[in-house]
């Protein structure tokens, strides 16, 4: 399955990509902001993992754009961010994320959340 990791921090992208590879996901593309991510998005993606806070276009705007396009409306989206306030989580869910992880996280938590969003059993927390 093809995954897209979107984060303005190259270090965080490396952490997420490494965690993905450790749990068996090897077809991973990266983007440094939402605008770049939109250019890489098409129906071939099986999962998008995005940060919230990014320059040019943030994660929330990215999610809203993806949910408005026929070719990306159904792609599972997992938001991985430092924003942990309940109102932020609710805003992300309303925008269309399937689940939400607050940084820092472990590969185990990432795997659990990915499994949930891919089976449709996700419940953002």
């Amino acid at each position: 399955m093809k995954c897209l990791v979107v984060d303005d921090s190259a270090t965080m992208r490396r952490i997420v990509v490494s965690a993905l590879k450790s749990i068996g996901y090897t077809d991973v593309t990266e983007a440094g902001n939402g605008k770049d991510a939109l250019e890489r998005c098409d129906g071939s993606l099986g999962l998008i993992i995005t940060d919230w806070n990014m320059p040019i276009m943030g994660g929330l705007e990215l999610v809203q754009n993806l949910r408005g396009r026929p070719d990306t409306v159904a792609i599972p989206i997992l938001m991985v961010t430092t924003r942990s306030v309940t109102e932020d989580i609710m805003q992300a869910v309303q925008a269309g994320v399937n689940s939400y992880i607050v940084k820092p996280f472990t590969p185990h938590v990432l795997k659990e959340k990915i499994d949930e969003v891919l089976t449709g059993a996700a419940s953002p927390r």
Side-chain angles (χ1 to χ4, degrees), residues 17-25 107-108 110-112 114-115:
V17 169
S18 175
L20 285 169
K21 288 182 178 180
S22 77
I23 58 176
Y25 296 95
H108 177 75
L110 182 64
K111 181 180 182 338
E112 283 182 347
I114 290 171
D115 290 347

Side-chain angles (χ1 to χ4, degrees), residues 81-104:
T81 182
T82 58
R83 297 178 76 130
S84 60
V85 178
T86 302
E87 291 79 16
D88 289 341
I89 296 170
M90 291 176 67
Q91 188 177 5
V93 171
Q94 289 171 348
V97 301
N98 298 89
S99 198
Y100 196 97
I101 297 175
V102 177
K103 296 174 188 174

Side-chain angles (χ1 to χ4, degrees), residues 9-119:
S9 165
T11 301
M12 185 51 65
R13 286 195 312 270
R14 276 193 303 273
I15 290 168
V16 174
V17 169
S18 175
L20 285 169
K21 288 182 178 180
S22 77
I23 58 176
Y25 296 95
T26 57
D27 190 359
V28 182
T29 303
E30 299 178 37
N33 61 62
K35 183 176 181 287
D36 290 344
L38 280 177
E39 294 170 4
R40 291 173 171 77
C41 286
D42 59 34
S44 72
L45 288 172
L47 175 67
I48 298 169
I49 300 173
T50 185
D51 185 21
W52 182 315
N53 299 310
M54 296 179 287
I56 303 171
M57 179 188 290
L60 203 60
E61 188 178 351
L62 169 63
V63 171
Q64 292 165 335
N65 274 279
L66 293 170
R67 292 303 182 228
R69 290 175 33 181
D71 63 331
T72 59
V73 68
I75 298 172
I77 301 173
L78 178 60
M79 185 165 279
V80 179
T81 182
T82 58
R83 297 178 76 130
S84 60
V85 178
T86 302
E87 291 79 16
D88 289 341
I89 296 170
M90 291 176 67
Q91 188 177 5
V93 171
Q94 289 171 348
V97 301
N98 298 89
S99 198
Y100 196 97
I101 297 175
V102 177
K103 296 174 188 174
F105 63 93
T106 64
H108 177 75
V109 168
L110 182 64
K111 181 180 182 338
E112 283 182 347
K113 290 293 186 175
I114 290 171
D115 290 347
E116 288 173 4
V117 299
L118 294 180
T119 62

